[in-house]
Amino acid sequence: MNDNIWQLLGIEKTTDIATIRQAYRAKLPNHHPETDPDGFKALRAAYENAIEYAKSPEKFAAELESDSSAQDISQPLTEEQLKENEICTAYQMLLNDPKRRFNVDEWQLFISSFYDYPMAIIDSVKWRLLEISTQAKNISQSCAKLLAESLRWRQQLMIEKPEQYEKYENFLEYIDSGDTFNYASLPTTNIVLQDATIDYIAHCHWLYWWRSQDELESFLMQDTVICLPDDKDLMMQFANFYRVANIPNQSILDYALQRIAQNDDDERNIIEWRFLAAIQYTLLTDKQNALQAWIDLYNTGHYQQKAASWIAGWCSYFAQEYFPLLCIALNDCYCLAPTSTDNNFYNIVPQWSTITVSRLAQIDPSDYSPEIASFINWALEINWNYRQILPLLLLDNGTNRLYRLYRHAIMLCHGNQTLLQQILEEQSDDIFEQFILQNLQRQAKQHLVWLTELEPIKAFKDWLYNSDEDLPMPIRFDIESDNDDAIYVRLWLDRFDLIPKHAKVHLYRYMKYFNMEMFDWQVYFDNEQYYQFPFPPNALIDKEAYWQWYRSCMLVLAITNNPLETAKLIKKENSDFILTDDDPFLPLVNIFKYGNWQNESELYNLIINNNEITNCVLSNYPNSIENIITNPYDTDFTQIPQHLTGFWQTKLANENPIYLMLLYKIVLNKTAQQSQLEHTLQTIAGDNLNLQKIAHTLINEKRLTLLAVGSKSKAAKQAIFIAKLAKHLSNPYGICIQKQINALDQLRTDASNNLVLRLCAALLLAENQENQEKLNAQSLPKNGYFQFWRWNGRTNNKGFFIQTVWMTIFLFLIETRIPAFLKNLDLQNFDYLFRGMLFCLIFINLIFAIKRRVNDTDTGKRFNIFRLWQPSIEQTNRYGPPINEKEN
């Protein structure tokens, strides 16, 4: 037999395990288990014996010897032993018969044969049967359990076999767990093939539960010969092994599709096969079928989180530009019905879920176009700002499917009822786009419900659309109120629609401007009578025409909010918009689209500020004159000289030279800039004698009335006013009183005034604020009524009265007591000296009071006693803050 091992393997006797394995693999193709089961069995046995010999040659030889000697010894057996051997032999034959070893009926027949033997024989042989069972290879746990229950091994184990209790108890627990699959489904032709399959599945099962994914993958990647039976449970386990190991397997996919097509399993198993099929499509890189499989699985309502994660991964790899859109589409926010007894309406309003925010936060906006990047940033805002996504809405001209889907996603938060309804009616032939649409539609239904059924919104609309323009707004909608109704109103106002005149009046009178959201420009234009938004077409007749109307309204909002970026977008995309010939925005759009400009400066100089609409637009143009006029307190003075010689140069070329001189006088107001100012003013004046006089006047800051040049017009008076304030504010202590600030504000905001004069007024306001901030930053002590000793202090009229009148009365009272006081001290000769000192104190106190009072009215000008009776200035000046009446 020993020689037969090496003959079967085709090699000489050796202890080299690598040589043995190589020989086994070389012979294996010639003895396939299906075509040559006996040959395969013999080859496998030879291989196992050869490995055992290689590990321990001496032990192997000794075992062979003992087997031979045992066969030579013959002892007579008793009748009981013969019967026991008969039962054990029958059991061994059952365990070694590939056709019967896993057949429950055969095991039942074997168990029923016990009735043919006396009970004493069965009681004696049952422990031998247990020992044989424990030594048997790949015994069926389910069948062995039948035998265990029949022979009552567990019940008698502790009593009859206490010394082997642990060993046998472990075996009994093992068979209690049942077979890992239905062993009866294995081929019945070859026991070696049966054992190989069971061992392989058992090892996979152990790796699956107890070892790492890498170890499972490494094992499954090895070549082997097994025969997978047609067992649904086993195939599902096997498919899960490959799923965990991330190994593609076409056979598993085919089997999964077969189970799905037959549809003869319960629903849970069909869903599991759908999941496994989707996994295999993915591992086999079948892009379209994988997507369809995951979408179908998601739509079943099972494995939705895994399906959503996979679809997101697929999208980020194959359709990246859709990924932010998909994140919004997959948003799943549970909303209570408006009829719910829960009084917290906030639970009715759809919001982004934590998962949605997490997915969006992981996106790098720089990987996308500026428009889609703005969508990402918009979605991550706590309060969605419609200004961020206007460019993306303008791109949807009806021809691009991607932008159309982004439009629908944006309309969840900013769309009116008509546009939300359009989401519900949208369809797509593309399976992925249709998947996105169906999820957007699910959310659109939620938004429609709260927009139409939420009680606070109904109440607000009742007030808003009431024709009585004087009807006061309900206090519940005040943004400073404690309830949340103002929040719901804000969300409703974030959905643009055309509202009637009286509704605009209500918003203008009772709502804070920043709380008008998408109605801000509509209300402002209507109130100032600058522009009327066009009336929308009937969406039931032409849905696309309605969108184009909405898009043209968004164009107006985009131009007024951010004209430069809108112009760049229109020029780059060559976008078309439906605007009437008399639309005030049409000239601007034509300049944006067809104008010969390459940068913001060239575009700015192409736009002529000749009406209120253009002025509103340019007020939001970065670095423009109008922008500084609109936002004077945000002015960066360091940038103004550069704008004068660059960005504004063409714009100011034909302006009144006197106004330009005033402008440079304000801008170049530092001592170090004096020579630059003189040169600039002389350049503007040129050879004109009158302009040279004016330039000299501004440089020396004398006879500023020459600016009128014989004219008594409003503009001349404004120029003199500007010149005087420019001189005043060039003093670092110079500040404006409220009357002057109001006058500058009026000059700045009046669109009929000269543009340069308005700019001068804005810059003076900015300079006044700068001086005021410097004064506020000084650590000057507070002023009080009774600080009589402070020469550089401040006091108002009340303090002046206290210091002059009451102090004088106090000193006179002392004066009346002097004679008696001196007489007691026998110092009558010093009477006149003491009286003189008191009168000096009264005089000094009066001087200090006057000085403190004049300090209180100081705006940076030189000391002037005639300011004594002027009102106190409310700001901090170089003598500190005004007296605080409450503290004094």
Side-chain angles (χ1 to χ4, degrees), residues 285-299:
T285 63
D286 190 341
K287 173 184 171 183
Q288 286 305 117
N289 283 325
L291 176 62
Q292 184 67 68
W294 284 112
I295 289 176
D296 291 344
L297 184 65
Y298 183 92
N299 291 335

Side-chain angles (χ1 to χ4, degrees), residues 45 57 105 132 145 182-183 238 253 438 579 641 732 775 866:
D105 293 336
I132 294 172
K145 187 175 181 181
N182 182 10
Y183 290 176
F238 200 66
L253 174 61
Q438 73 185 35
L579 299 175
L775 290 170
F866 294 106

Side-chain angles (χ1 to χ4, degrees), residues 405-425:
L405 289 174
Y406 270 104
R407 178 241 290 189
H408 288 322
I410 293 169
M411 289 304 107
L412 292 177
C413 300
H414 294 302
N416 54 37
Q417 290 178 225
T418 301
L419 291 169
L420 286 172
Q421 187 62 40
Q422 287 188 9
I423 300 176
L424 299 179
E425 298 169 0

Side-chain angles (χ1 to χ4, degrees), residues 170-212:
N170 290 337
F171 173 75
L172 293 175
E173 288 182 1
Y174 164 71
I175 64 175
D176 281 345
S177 62
D179 298 330
T180 54
F181 65 95
N182 182 10
Y183 290 176
S185 61
L186 288 168
T188 59
T189 57
N190 191 307
I191 193 170
V192 177
L193 184 61
Q194 289 177 343
D195 287 341
T197 302
I198 294 173
D199 290 343
Y200 188 84
I201 297 299
H203 193 64
C204 288
H205 198 270
W206 177 73
L207 292 172
Y208 176 82
W209 286 108
W210 301 106
R211 308 302 292 178
S212 68

